[in-house]
């Protein structure tokens, strides 16, 4: 067995040329063998022998011999990991510090070093080194989130907020970071809406940030503010379906039904085959008591959906709500005509599987409010000869549909 004591100084000037030559020769012989043995022990998870072999590698100076056959990063990294498996994180820390003196900006060694500090609960040192790692690799979100955790243990929510904002700049869909940011804001006593407001105001051309902000304003029951944000978004991108949809919702929450209708109508221009939008326009105008517009949009929905159950049901609903709004104390023929039109479309919707209006149908039947054979009999002869009737009172002036005489009358 060849043995040799390595001089205490790494300074090549500290030994003569002959000693240096002998050391180089010894390293040429021993370092490859030791690297092979270390790798074998590591694969077999024999951590004690792994530690022993890597110790010999460093004692012999193999870490400064040939970076191809004995990479110093590999030597110090696996040496430290072997100590970790032995539960000796203080020794791992010591080895990694030696490696970082040789390779001060090596991120793999630095990551392992901060891990050893974390396992030893050296919080202040860990934070210092993680900040250094952040300077070297600013896009490493794993390290940034660990730094957030560490500052959380120090109760430094302001620093957590700064770092979490960086994380979300790198990965805007990081749900963990979003959640942590909300917690940090709450811990600092800040309004979480600030998060979304700042992102929107700092990136006005990124409409997704401003839509998120509008969403949160709506959730916070501030629809008027959401309207302002969404109108700004639409000025940038007037083809954004999601912006128009949320704008309509905000107007509805504000009880501004005419503008809600306008927002849905603009949305329909973008997607004119979407029957659900036409139905929403009809529903909003029904709520606004604009029954003429409501029935036109219900007709449009029926047209593009080939008379779907939803569209037919909405036509019936427009007539039903108009009846509630317009009917006289003593039920008039006009009221009965509208009631029968409502019943007609509710029945057609029911036949197509939309059964949500059965309660309204029952009410119309049970309250004897439908236009019937007896009502037809009481009409003057001129109206009878036409073969159809239509409401004539001003409240129903928007109605264009005729009620044809039933063959049984």
């Amino acid at each position: 067995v060849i043995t040799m004591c390595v001089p205490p100084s790494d300074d090549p000037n500290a030994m003569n040329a002959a000693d240096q030559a002998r050391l180089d020769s010894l390293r040429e012989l021993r370092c490859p063998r030791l690297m092979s043995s270390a790798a074998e022990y590591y694969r077999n998870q024999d951590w004690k022998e792994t530690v022993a072999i890597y110790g010999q590698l460093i004692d012999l100076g193999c870490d400064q011999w040939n970076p191809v056959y004995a990479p110093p990063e590999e030597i110090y990294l696996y040496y430290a990991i072997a100590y970790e498996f032995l539960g000796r994180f203080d020794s791992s820390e010591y080895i990694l510090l030696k490696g970082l003196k040789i390779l001060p900006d090596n991120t793999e060694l630095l990551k392992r070093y901060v891990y050893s500090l974390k396992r030893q609960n050296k919080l202040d040192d860990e934070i210092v080194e993680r900040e250094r790692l952040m300077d070297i690799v600013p896009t490493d979100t794993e390290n940034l989130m660990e730094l957030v955790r560490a500052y959380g243990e120090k109760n430094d929510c302001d620093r957590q907020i700064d770092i979490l904002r960086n994380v979300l700049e790198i990965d805007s869909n990081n749900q963990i970071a979003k959640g942590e940011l909300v917690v940090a804001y709450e811990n600092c006593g800040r309004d979480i809406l600030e998060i979304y407001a700042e992102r929107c105001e700092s990136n006005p051309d990124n409409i997704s940030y401003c839509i998120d902000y509008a969403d949160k304003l709506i959730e916070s029951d501030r629809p008027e503010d959401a309207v302002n944000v969404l109108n700004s978004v639409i000025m940038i991108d007037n083809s954004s379906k999601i912006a128009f949809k949320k704008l309509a919702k905000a107007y509805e929450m504000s009880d501004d039904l005419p503008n809600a209708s306008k927002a849905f109508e603009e949305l329909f221009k973008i997607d004119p085959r979407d029957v659900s939008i036409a139905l929403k326009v009809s529903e909003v105008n029904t709520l606004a008591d604009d029954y003429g517009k409501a029935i036109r949009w219900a007709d449009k929905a029926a047209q593009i959906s080939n008379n779907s159950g939803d569209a037919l049901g909405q036509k019936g609903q427009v007539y039903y709500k108009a009846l509630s709004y317009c009917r006289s104390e003593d039920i008039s023929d006009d009221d009965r005509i509208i009631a029968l039109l409502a019943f007609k479309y509710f029945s057609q919707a029911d036949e197509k599987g939309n059964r949500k209006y059965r309660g309204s149908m029952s009410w119309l039947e049970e309250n004897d409010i439908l236009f019937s054979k007896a009502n037809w009999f009481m009409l003057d002869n001129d109206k009878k000869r036409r073969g159809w009737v239509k409401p004539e009172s001003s409240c129903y002036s928007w109605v264009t549909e005729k009620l044809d005489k039933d063959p049984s009358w």
Side-chain angles (χ1 to χ4, degrees), residues 279 282-283 286 294 298 309-319 357:
L279 287 171
S282 180
E283 289 167 10
T286 303
D310 287 340
L312 292 169
Q314 178 57 23
K315 287 186 71 172
Q317 184 73 345
V318 174
Y319 286 125
Y357 300 105

Side-chain angles (χ1 to χ4, degrees), residues 20-126:
Q20 184 64 53
R22 282 193 294 272
L23 180 57
D24 289 342
S25 176
L26 182 59
R27 286 172 173 167
E28 289 282 346
L29 176 67
R30 296 283 291 150
C31 290
R33 295 179 182 178
L34 289 171
M35 286 295 292
S36 177
S37 296
E40 184 67 23
Y41 284 125
Y42 190 94
R43 279 194 298 272
N44 293 330
Q45 300 182 15
D46 187 338
W47 308 120
K48 288 184 178 179
E49 288 300 323
T50 302
V51 163
I53 297 297
Y54 277 121
Q56 292 180 47
L57 278 163
I58 290 177
D59 287 343
L60 188 57
C62 297
D63 56 324
Q64 300 175 55
W65 164 60
N66 187 317
V68 175
Y69 295 108
E73 174 188 345
E74 181 180 316
I75 291 171
Y76 285 102
L77 183 63
Y78 294 130
Y79 192 3
I81 291 173
Y83 269 127
E84 288 175 13
F85 278 109
L86 293 172
R88 293 172 59 182
F89 291 97
D90 55 342
S91 297
S92 176
E93 175 191 353
Y94 173 76
I95 293 302
L96 288 163
L97 273 174
K98 287 187 69 174
L100 286 167
K101 287 180 180 177
I102 299 170
L103 304 166
D105 293 328
N106 186 283
T107 57
E108 293 305 313
L109 294 181
L110 189 52
K111 286 178 184 179
R112 215 72 207 182
Y113 177 53
V114 295
Y115 175 71
S116 72
L117 295 173
K118 175 184 175 181
R119 292 300 302 266
Q120 294 176 85
N121 297 314
K122 293 183 176 180
L123 187 59
D124 291 336
D125 291 339
E126 181 191 353

Side-chain angles (χ1 to χ4, degrees), residues 320-337:
Y320 186 80
K321 292 297 183 181
L323 171 65
S324 298
Y325 182 80
C326 294
R327 76 178 182 181
S328 52
E329 187 173 343
D330 295 324
I331 302 298
S332 67
D333 281 350
D334 285 356
D335 296 331
R336 293 181 184 278
I337 292 168

